[in-house]
Amino acid sequence: MTPLLRGLVVALAAGGAILGQAGCSNPTRPSPPPPTPALTLACPSAVVVGAAPEVPAPVTYPAPIPSGGTAPVSVKCSVPSGGAFAAGDTDVVCTATDSATPPHQASCVFTVSVRQEFTVEASRFLAFGDSITAGAVEYNDSVASILEIERDKAYPTVLRDLLAQRYPRQDISVLNAGYQGEPAGCALGASFCGASRISRVIDESRPHALLLLQGVIDLSEGGLSSVSQMLDGLKFMVRDARRRGVTHIFISTLLPQKPGSRAWAMDAIVPANARIRDLAASEGVYLVDAYAGMVGQEAIFIGKDGLHPTPEGYQALARIFFEAIRDRLETVVTTPGGVQRTLDVSAAGPHVEVGPQFRRPPVRLR
């Protein structure tokens, strides 16, 4: 190697050492940005609205909270906050959508429950009548017709349970004043009938409402010729109850019958019921059309003797009376002043319950 070439190699080596000491080595690449967190959506807890003044009810609920995803993120719900909710439970489905390409979505579900609270204008009921009111149960599967009074299956007992379930804040009572074998009107010279008994029963029980189902014994004894006796007895009982301060009077048509050992008045039932409907209209009392509600289902509702209901029949009869009472005497518990308001629960805690007194957290009504 020539002296010139050897000098050049030494110079290059020295330059490299200097560069290395100066930190001019190859630079490293920067770290990539962290990944975008997955999009999630948190819905509010269940919302319960008690004593809504009317339905559908407008309800304002806390906004669902999105996290993650690419901003901005939009949220839409199947029923918006402040929207109208029907009575019962409504599942609200909310979906968050971010701005990624393509966009990501996340969903959640919560329930809004709207309850209505009801009250009934009467709390003491008097069920007056014969063995059908007393609870004489007849079965279809027995070999012989064995008629027994079963108070737990009687329509007044079943009716009391229905009323208590519907109006839990009220002390509901239904007195069973059924008397087996008793006609509505007294035959000439007789004193055994509903018309002669009702005054004492009303004075002793002081009911708010009278439930009157009687007259089939009159027809069983005299057929069509006894319709006038039946009507006279029913009219006397209606007017006597009114004189004695009974506010609400319900009178029922007679039940349908089917062939059997005690179906002695099948031909008289329809014309007698037409007269009972006329009586209810003329006297201005509430009609309970038990015949219309049970006819065509005698095989299920009427027992082997053709006259007395089965347990299923008593359930149906109680339901018919219940619906008549509900339709005539029920009112909805409303907010003070009776003005419809937006139920705002948007600032409440994780489980929201809105309604009248003793509800927590408090509600802002606007």
Side-chain angles (χ1 to χ4, degrees), residues 31-81:
S31 301
T36 301
L39 179 63
T40 62
L41 184 65
C43 274
S45 296
V47 174
V48 180
V49 178
E54 59 183 78
V55 291
V59 178
T60 301
Y61 55 76
I65 301 174
S67 63
T70 302
V73 177
S74 63
V75 177
K76 292 184 179 180
C77 296
S78 55
V79 183
S81 180

mmCIF file of all heavy atoms in Angstrom, residues 31-81:
data_model
loop_
_atom_site.group_PDB
_atom_site.id
_atom_site.type_symbol
_atom_site.label_atom_id
_atom_site.label_comp_id
_atom_site.label_asym_id
_atom_site.label_seq_id
_atom_site.Cartn_x
_atom_site.Cartn_y
_atom_site.Cartn_z
ATOM 1 N N SER A 31 -42.858 5.100 17.780
ATOM 2 C CA SER A 31 -43.865 4.080 18.137
ATOM 3 C C SER A 31 -45.200 4.409 17.476
ATOM 4 O O SER A 31 -45.592 5.585 17.370
ATOM 5 C CB SER A 31 -44.057 4.028 19.658
ATOM 6 O OG SER A 31 -42.832 3.714 20.301
ATOM 7 N N PRO A 32 -45.941 3.391 17.003
ATOM 8 C CA PRO A 32 -47.267 3.658 16.403
ATOM 9 C C PRO A 32 -48.251 4.151 17.458
ATOM 10 O O PRO A 32 -48.094 3.867 18.645
ATOM 11 C CB PRO A 32 -47.680 2.280 15.853
ATOM 12 C CG PRO A 32 -46.941 1.299 16.710
ATOM 13 C CD PRO A 32 -45.639 1.950 17.037
ATOM 14 N N PRO A 33 -49.298 4.927 17.072
ATOM 15 C CA PRO A 33 -50.289 5.423 18.051
ATOM 16 C C PRO A 33 -51.056 4.240 18.648
ATOM 17 O O PRO A 33 -51.240 3.207 18.005
ATOM 18 C CB PRO A 33 -51.204 6.312 17.202
ATOM 19 C CG PRO A 33 -51.045 5.807 15.804
ATOM 20 C CD PRO A 33 -49.629 5.341 15.707
ATOM 21 N N PRO A 34 -51.557 4.370 19.918
ATOM 22 C CA PRO A 34 -52.320 3.279 20.539
ATOM 23 C C PRO A 34 -53.617 3.035 19.780
ATOM 24 O O PRO A 34 -54.203 3.960 19.202
ATOM 25 C CB PRO A 34 -52.594 3.792 21.963
ATOM 26 C CG PRO A 34 -52.518 5.286 21.856
ATOM 27 C CD PRO A 34 -51.482 5.547 20.788
ATOM 28 N N PRO A 35 -54.167 1.794 19.800
ATOM 29 C CA PRO A 35 -55.423 1.520 19.098
ATOM 30 C C PRO A 35 -56.599 2.226 19.759
ATOM 31 O O PRO A 35 -56.589 2.474 20.962
ATOM 32 C CB PRO A 35 -55.556 -0.011 19.212
ATOM 33 C CG PRO A 35 -54.757 -0.365 20.425
ATOM 34 C CD PRO A 35 -53.613 0.595 20.446
ATOM 35 N N THR A 36 -57.604 2.563 18.966
ATOM 36 C CA THR A 36 -58.810 3.203 19.498
ATOM 37 C C THR A 36 -59.584 2.207 20.354
ATOM 38 O O THR A 36 -59.843 1.081 19.910
ATOM 39 C CB THR A 36 -59.714 3.690 18.347
ATOM 40 O OG1 THR A 36 -58.962 4.610 17.541
ATOM 41 C CG2 THR A 36 -60.966 4.373 18.878
ATOM 42 N N PRO A 37 -59.993 2.573 21.592
ATOM 43 C CA PRO A 37 -60.759 1.639 22.427
ATOM 44 C C PRO A 37 -62.067 1.235 21.750
ATOM 45 O O PRO A 37 -62.667 2.012 20.992
ATOM 46 C CB PRO A 37 -61.032 2.442 23.709
ATOM 47 C CG PRO A 37 -60.005 3.526 23.708
ATOM 48 C CD PRO A 37 -59.744 3.842 22.274
ATOM 49 N N ALA A 38 -62.502 0.011 22.019
ATOM 50 C CA ALA A 38 -63.758 -0.467 21.435
ATOM 51 C C ALA A 38 -64.922 0.383 21.910
ATOM 52 O O ALA A 38 -64.958 0.851 23.054
ATOM 53 C CB ALA A 38 -63.976 -1.933 21.803
ATOM 54 N N LEU A 39 -65.902 0.570 21.038
ATOM 55 C CA LEU A 39 -67.084 1.361 21.368
ATOM 56 C C LEU A 39 -68.007 0.564 22.289
ATOM 57 O O LEU A 39 -68.346 -0.589 22.008
ATOM 58 C CB LEU A 39 -67.837 1.740 20.088
ATOM 59 C CG LEU A 39 -69.122 2.548 20.259
ATOM 60 C CD1 LEU A 39 -68.842 3.911 20.882
ATOM 61 C CD2 LEU A 39 -69.827 2.714 18.901
ATOM 62 N N THR A 40 -68.446 1.155 23.398
ATOM 63 C CA THR A 40 -69.407 0.540 24.316
ATOM 64 C C THR A 40 -70.481 1.560 24.656
ATOM 65 O O THR A 40 -70.285 2.781 24.484
ATOM 66 C CB THR A 40 -68.739 0.039 25.602
ATOM 67 O OG1 THR A 40 -68.161 1.153 26.298
ATOM 68 C CG2 THR A 40 -67.664 -1.002 25.304
ATOM 69 N N LEU A 41 -71.609 1.072 25.165
ATOM 70 C CA LEU A 41 -72.720 1.948 25.532
ATOM 71 C C LEU A 41 -73.340 1.436 26.826
ATOM 72 O O LEU A 41 -73.700 0.252 26.917
ATOM 73 C CB LEU A 41 -73.770 1.990 24.427
ATOM 74 C CG LEU A 41 -74.952 2.946 24.646
ATOM 75 C CD1 LEU A 41 -74.471 4.398 24.671
ATOM 76 C CD2 LEU A 41 -76.006 2.770 23.542
ATOM 77 N N ALA A 42 -73.458 2.305 27.830
ATOM 78 C CA ALA A 42 -74.040 1.946 29.131
ATOM 79 C C ALA A 42 -75.411 2.588 29.265
ATOM 80 O O ALA A 42 -75.538 3.818 29.233
ATOM 81 C CB ALA A 42 -73.127 2.403 30.260
ATOM 82 N N CYS A 43 -76.445 1.751 29.394
ATOM 83 C CA CYS A 43 -77.812 2.251 29.553
ATOM 84 C C CYS A 43 -78.098 2.529 31.029
ATOM 85 O O CYS A 43 -77.452 1.961 31.916
ATOM 86 C CB CYS A 43 -78.816 1.206 29.047
ATOM 87 S SG CYS A 43 -79.138 1.305 27.273
ATOM 88 N N PRO A 44 -79.111 3.378 31.311
ATOM 89 C CA PRO A 44 -79.534 3.568 32.708
ATOM 90 C C PRO A 44 -80.201 2.300 33.232
ATOM 91 O O PRO A 44 -80.607 1.430 32.456
ATOM 92 C CB PRO A 44 -80.528 4.731 32.623
ATOM 93 C CG PRO A 44 -81.026 4.701 31.217
ATOM 94 C CD PRO A 44 -79.879 4.210 30.375
ATOM 95 N N SER A 45 -80.327 2.206 34.548
ATOM 96 C CA SER A 45 -81.040 1.083 35.145
ATOM 97 C C SER A 45 -82.533 1.231 34.882
ATOM 98 O O SER A 45 -82.997 2.240 34.347
ATOM 99 C CB SER A 45 -80.759 1.016 36.645
ATOM 100 O OG SER A 45 -79.392 0.757 36.884
ATOM 101 N N ALA A 46 -83.291 0.205 35.291
ATOM 102 C CA ALA A 46 -84.738 0.196 35.045
ATOM 103 C C ALA A 46 -85.397 1.438 35.638
ATOM 104 O O ALA A 46 -85.049 1.904 36.721
ATOM 105 C CB ALA A 46 -85.354 -1.056 35.647
ATOM 106 N N VAL A 47 -86.366 1.982 34.903
ATOM 107 C CA VAL A 47 -87.107 3.167 35.325
ATOM 108 C C VAL A 47 -88.538 2.735 35.616
ATOM 109 O O VAL A 47 -89.199 2.116 34.771
ATOM 110 C CB VAL A 47 -87.086 4.256 34.241
ATOM 111 C CG1 VAL A 47 -87.980 5.421 34.631
ATOM 112 C CG2 VAL A 47 -85.663 4.731 33.989
ATOM 113 N N VAL A 48 -89.034 3.031 36.818
ATOM 114 C CA VAL A 48 -90.396 2.673 37.207
ATOM 115 C C VAL A 48 -91.161 3.947 37.495
ATOM 116 O O VAL A 48 -90.758 4.752 38.338
ATOM 117 C CB VAL A 48 -90.406 1.756 38.442
ATOM 118 C CG1 VAL A 48 -91.845 1.397 38.820
ATOM 119 C CG2 VAL A 48 -89.590 0.499 38.178
ATOM 120 N N VAL A 49 -92.270 4.153 36.801
ATOM 121 C CA VAL A 49 -93.118 5.329 36.991
ATOM 122 C C VAL A 49 -94.406 4.870 37.638
ATOM 123 O O VAL A 49 -95.176 4.113 37.042
ATOM 124 C CB VAL A 49 -93.403 6.044 35.660
ATOM 125 C CG1 VAL A 49 -94.333 7.223 35.881
ATOM 126 C CG2 VAL A 49 -92.106 6.507 35.020
ATOM 127 N N GLY A 50 -94.668 5.305 38.873
ATOM 128 C CA GLY A 50 -95.876 4.922 39.586
ATOM 129 C C GLY A 50 -96.918 6.014 39.533
ATOM 130 O O GLY A 50 -96.598 7.198 39.496
ATOM 131 N N ALA A 51 -98.190 5.606 39.550
ATOM 132 C CA ALA A 51 -99.322 6.535 39.603
ATOM 133 C C ALA A 51 -99.294 7.541 38.461
ATOM 134 O O ALA A 51 -99.456 8.746 38.663
ATOM 135 C CB ALA A 51 -99.380 7.259 40.938
ATOM 136 N N ALA A 52 -99.067 7.084 37.246
ATOM 137 C CA ALA A 52 -99.121 7.977 36.088
ATOM 138 C C ALA A 52 -100.541 8.526 35.945
ATOM 139 O O ALA A 52 -101.508 7.773 36.018
ATOM 140 C CB ALA A 52 -98.737 7.225 34.823
ATOM 141 N N PRO A 53 -100.704 9.843 35.765
ATOM 142 C CA PRO A 53 -102.050 10.419 35.699
ATOM 143 C C PRO A 53 -102.853 9.914 34.524
ATOM 144 O O PRO A 53 -104.061 9.785 34.607
ATOM 145 C CB PRO A 53 -101.795 11.927 35.604
ATOM 146 C CG PRO A 53 -100.391 12.045 35.091
ATOM 147 C CD PRO A 53 -99.654 10.864 35.628
ATOM 148 N N GLU A 54 -102.211 9.616 33.426
ATOM 149 C CA GLU A 54 -102.883 9.018 32.279
ATOM 150 C C GLU A 54 -101.823 8.391 31.393
ATOM 151 O O GLU A 54 -100.645 8.699 31.489
ATOM 152 C CB GLU A 54 -103.710 10.044 31.510
ATOM 153 C CG GLU A 54 -102.919 11.221 30.973
ATOM 154 C CD GLU A 54 -103.808 12.244 30.276
ATOM 155 O OE1 GLU A 54 -104.477 13.027 30.974
ATOM 156 O OE2 GLU A 54 -103.818 12.234 29.032
ATOM 157 N N VAL A 55 -102.266 7.480 30.557
ATOM 158 C CA VAL A 55 -101.339 6.805 29.646
ATOM 159 C C VAL A 55 -101.836 6.987 28.223
ATOM 160 O O VAL A 55 -103.036 7.116 27.991
ATOM 161 C CB VAL A 55 -101.213 5.300 29.983
ATOM 162 C CG1 VAL A 55 -100.491 5.114 31.314
ATOM 163 C CG2 VAL A 55 -102.566 4.605 30.007
ATOM 164 N N PRO A 56 -100.877 7.001 27.245
ATOM 165 C CA PRO A 56 -99.420 6.946 27.397
ATOM 166 C C PRO A 56 -98.886 8.121 28.214
ATOM 167 O O PRO A 56 -99.425 9.212 28.158
ATOM 168 C CB PRO A 56 -98.906 6.995 25.956
ATOM 169 C CG PRO A 56 -100.056 6.565 25.102
ATOM 170 C CD PRO A 56 -101.280 7.059 25.810
ATOM 171 N N ALA A 57 -97.797 7.842 28.992
ATOM 172 C CA ALA A 57 -97.218 8.852 29.870
ATOM 173 C C ALA A 57 -95.870 9.305 29.337
ATOM 174 O O ALA A 57 -95.026 8.474 28.989
ATOM 175 C CB ALA A 57 -97.056 8.284 31.280
ATOM 176 N N PRO A 58 -95.622 10.616 29.255
ATOM 177 C CA PRO A 58 -94.296 11.099 28.842
ATOM 178 C C PRO A 58 -93.284 10.891 29.969
ATOM 179 O O PRO A 58 -93.523 11.302 31.106
ATOM 180 C CB PRO A 58 -94.533 12.590 28.567
ATOM 181 C CG PRO A 58 -95.724 12.946 29.404
ATOM 182 C CD PRO A 58 -96.565 11.715 29.513
ATOM 183 N N VAL A 59 -92.156 10.262 29.663
ATOM 184 C CA VAL A 59 -91.142 9.950 30.674
ATOM 185 C C VAL A 59 -89.776 10.424 30.183
ATOM 186 O O VAL A 59 -89.363 10.095 29.062
ATOM 187 C CB VAL A 59 -91.093 8.439 30.963
ATOM 188 C CG1 VAL A 59 -89.992 8.126 31.981
ATOM 189 C CG2 VAL A 59 -92.437 7.938 31.471
ATOM 190 N N THR A 60 -89.087 11.195 31.013
ATOM 191 C CA THR A 60 -87.711 11.611 30.729
ATOM 192 C C THR A 60 -86.763 10.751 31.550
ATOM 193 O O THR A 60 -86.883 10.696 32.774
ATOM 194 C CB THR A 60 -87.507 13.093 31.084
ATOM 195 O OG1 THR A 60 -88.418 13.887 30.320
ATOM 196 C CG2 THR A 60 -86.082 13.533 30.778
ATOM 197 N N TYR A 61 -85.839 10.065 30.899
ATOM 198 C CA TYR A 61 -84.938 9.149 31.593
ATOM 199 C C TYR A 61 -83.479 9.582 31.395
ATOM 200 O O TYR A 61 -83.164 10.382 30.506
ATOM 201 C CB TYR A 61 -85.139 7.716 31.080
ATOM 202 C CG TYR A 61 -85.007 7.543 29.583
ATOM 203 C CD1 TYR A 61 -83.763 7.532 28.950
ATOM 204 C CD2 TYR A 61 -86.149 7.365 28.789
ATOM 205 C CE1 TYR A 61 -83.651 7.362 27.587
ATOM 206 C CE2 TYR A 61 -86.041 7.203 27.421
ATOM 207 C CZ TYR A 61 -84.789 7.185 26.822
ATOM 208 O OH TYR A 61 -84.685 7.016 25.462
ATOM 209 N N PRO A 62 -82.545 9.078 32.246
ATOM 210 C CA PRO A 62 -81.127 9.442 32.102
ATOM 211 C C PRO A 62 -80.579 8.996 30.744
ATOM 212 O O PRO A 62 -80.940 7.940 30.230
ATOM 213 C CB PRO A 62 -80.454 8.675 33.241
ATOM 214 C CG PRO A 62 -81.537 8.395 34.221
ATOM 215 C CD PRO A 62 -82.785 8.221 33.416
ATOM 216 N N ALA A 63 -79.675 9.810 30.186
ATOM 217 C CA ALA A 63 -79.109 9.511 28.864
ATOM 218 C C ALA A 63 -78.132 8.335 28.943
ATOM 219 O O ALA A 63 -77.329 8.252 29.876
ATOM 220 C CB ALA A 63 -78.398 10.737 28.315
ATOM 221 N N PRO A 64 -78.187 7.413 27.986
ATOM 222 C CA PRO A 64 -77.165 6.361 27.905
ATOM 223 C C PRO A 64 -75.785 6.990 27.693
ATOM 224 O O PRO A 64 -75.657 8.026 27.043
ATOM 225 C CB PRO A 64 -77.597 5.527 26.703
ATOM 226 C CG PRO A 64 -79.041 5.844 26.503
ATOM 227 C CD PRO A 64 -79.214 7.262 26.939
ATOM 228 N N ILE A 65 -74.729 6.367 28.228
ATOM 229 C CA ILE A 65 -73.379 6.946 28.190
ATOM 230 C C ILE A 65 -72.476 6.086 27.296
ATOM 231 O O ILE A 65 -72.191 4.931 27.618
ATOM 232 C CB ILE A 65 -72.796 7.022 29.605
ATOM 233 C CG1 ILE A 65 -73.698 7.892 30.499
ATOM 234 C CG2 ILE A 65 -71.373 7.579 29.564
ATOM 235 C CD1 ILE A 65 -73.275 7.908 31.944
ATOM 236 N N PRO A 66 -72.004 6.653 26.162
ATOM 237 C CA PRO A 66 -71.073 5.911 25.311
ATOM 238 C C PRO A 66 -69.629 6.108 25.773
ATOM 239 O O PRO A 66 -69.292 7.112 26.409
ATOM 240 C CB PRO A 66 -71.291 6.530 23.931
ATOM 241 C CG PRO A 66 -71.668 7.951 24.230
ATOM 242 C CD PRO A 66 -72.424 7.923 25.535
ATOM 243 N N SER A 67 -68.771 5.158 25.434
ATOM 244 C CA SER A 67 -67.330 5.311 25.665
ATOM 245 C C SER A 67 -66.586 4.583 24.559
ATOM 246 O O SER A 67 -67.101 3.624 23.974
ATOM 247 C CB SER A 67 -66.931 4.769 27.041
ATOM 248 O OG SER A 67 -67.179 3.377 27.119
ATOM 249 N N GLY A 68 -65.335 5.048 24.284
ATOM 250 C CA GLY A 68 -64.553 4.444 23.224
ATOM 251 C C GLY A 68 -65.063 4.858 21.858
ATOM 252 O O GLY A 68 -65.862 5.782 21.695
ATOM 253 N N GLY A 69 -64.563 4.179 20.828
ATOM 254 C CA GLY A 69 -64.956 4.495 19.472
ATOM 255 C C GLY A 69 -64.289 5.756 18.962
ATOM 256 O O GLY A 69 -63.512 6.410 19.652
ATOM 257 N N THR A 70 -64.610 6.097 17.726
ATOM 258 C CA THR A 70 -64.041 7.281 17.086
ATOM 259 C C THR A 70 -65.023 8.435 17.205
ATOM 260 O O THR A 70 -66.174 8.326 16.757
ATOM 261 C CB THR A 70 -63.742 6.999 15.603
ATOM 262 O OG1 THR A 70 -62.832 5.894 15.500
ATOM 263 C CG2 THR A 70 -63.138 8.219 14.931
ATOM 264 N N ALA A 71 -64.582 9.519 17.826
ATOM 265 C CA ALA A 71 -65.469 10.669 18.018
ATOM 266 C C ALA A 71 -65.749 11.352 16.688
ATOM 267 O O ALA A 71 -64.916 11.322 15.776
ATOM 268 C CB ALA A 71 -64.828 11.637 19.006
ATOM 269 N N PRO A 72 -66.916 12.015 16.556
ATOM 270 C CA PRO A 72 -68.002 12.059 17.531
ATOM 271 C C PRO A 72 -68.867 10.791 17.485
ATOM 272 O O PRO A 72 -68.928 10.124 16.450
ATOM 273 C CB PRO A 72 -68.793 13.281 17.112
ATOM 274 C CG PRO A 72 -68.594 13.364 15.629
ATOM 275 C CD PRO A 72 -67.180 12.892 15.394
ATOM 276 N N VAL A 73 -69.540 10.507 18.616
ATOM 277 C CA VAL A 73 -70.401 9.323 18.735
ATOM 278 C C VAL A 73 -71.844 9.786 18.931
ATOM 279 O O VAL A 73 -72.112 10.642 19.785
ATOM 280 C CB VAL A 73 -69.975 8.435 19.925
ATOM 281 C CG1 VAL A 73 -70.932 7.260 20.074
ATOM 282 C CG2 VAL A 73 -68.545 7.940 19.725
ATOM 283 N N SER A 74 -72.766 9.255 18.119
ATOM 284 C CA SER A 74 -74.186 9.595 18.253
ATOM 285 C C SER A 74 -74.932 8.425 18.903
ATOM 286 O O SER A 74 -74.559 7.267 18.738
ATOM 287 C CB SER A 74 -74.807 9.903 16.886
ATOM 288 O OG SER A 74 -74.754 8.761 16.046
ATOM 289 N N VAL A 75 -75.988 8.759 19.677
ATOM 290 C CA VAL A 75 -76.788 7.742 20.372
ATOM 291 C C VAL A 75 -78.252 7.964 20.037
ATOM 292 O O VAL A 75 -78.771 9.081 20.148
ATOM 293 C CB VAL A 75 -76.572 7.804 21.897
ATOM 294 C CG1 VAL A 75 -77.467 6.773 22.601
ATOM 295 C CG2 VAL A 75 -75.114 7.560 22.243
ATOM 296 N N LYS A 76 -78.932 6.911 19.632
ATOM 297 C CA LYS A 76 -80.371 6.957 19.367
ATOM 298 C C LYS A 76 -81.043 5.804 20.113
ATOM 299 O O LYS A 76 -80.494 4.706 20.190
ATOM 300 C CB LYS A 76 -80.661 6.857 17.873
ATOM 301 C CG LYS A 76 -80.210 8.072 17.070
ATOM 302 C CD LYS A 76 -80.617 7.955 15.605
ATOM 303 C CE LYS A 76 -80.191 9.179 14.815
ATOM 304 N NZ LYS A 76 -80.581 9.074 13.375
ATOM 305 N N CYS A 77 -82.266 6.077 20.635
ATOM 306 C CA CYS A 77 -83.031 5.065 21.373
ATOM 307 C C CYS A 77 -84.363 4.835 20.687
ATOM 308 O O CYS A 77 -84.917 5.726 20.033
ATOM 309 C CB CYS A 77 -83.254 5.502 22.821
ATOM 310 S SG CYS A 77 -81.714 5.639 23.769
ATOM 311 N N SER A 78 -84.899 3.616 20.859
ATOM 312 C CA SER A 78 -86.142 3.245 20.188
ATOM 313 C C SER A 78 -87.302 4.123 20.631
ATOM 314 O O SER A 78 -88.208 4.414 19.839
ATOM 315 C CB SER A 78 -86.467 1.770 20.452
ATOM 316 O OG SER A 78 -86.500 1.506 21.851
ATOM 317 N N VAL A 79 -87.317 4.538 21.905
ATOM 318 C CA VAL A 79 -88.262 5.547 22.388
ATOM 319 C C VAL A 79 -87.416 6.635 23.036
ATOM 320 O O VAL A 79 -86.727 6.386 24.018
ATOM 321 C CB VAL A 79 -89.262 4.972 23.413
ATOM 322 C CG1 VAL A 79 -90.260 6.054 23.820
ATOM 323 C CG2 VAL A 79 -89.986 3.766 22.844
ATOM 324 N N PRO A 80 -87.426 7.841 22.497
ATOM 325 C CA PRO A 80 -86.533 8.878 23.034
ATOM 326 C C PRO A 80 -86.941 9.315 24.431
ATOM 327 O O PRO A 80 -88.102 9.167 24.839
ATOM 328 C CB PRO A 80 -86.694 10.028 22.021
ATOM 329 C CG PRO A 80 -88.046 9.810 21.418
ATOM 330 C CD PRO A 80 -88.245 8.322 21.373
ATOM 331 N N SER A 81 -86.002 9.850 25.169
ATOM 332 C CA SER A 81 -86.307 10.433 26.473
ATOM 333 C C SER A 81 -87.327 11.552 26.290
ATOM 334 O O SER A 81 -87.198 12.393 25.396
ATOM 335 C CB SER A 81 -85.040 10.976 27.111
ATOM 336 O OG SER A 81 -85.302 11.551 28.365
#
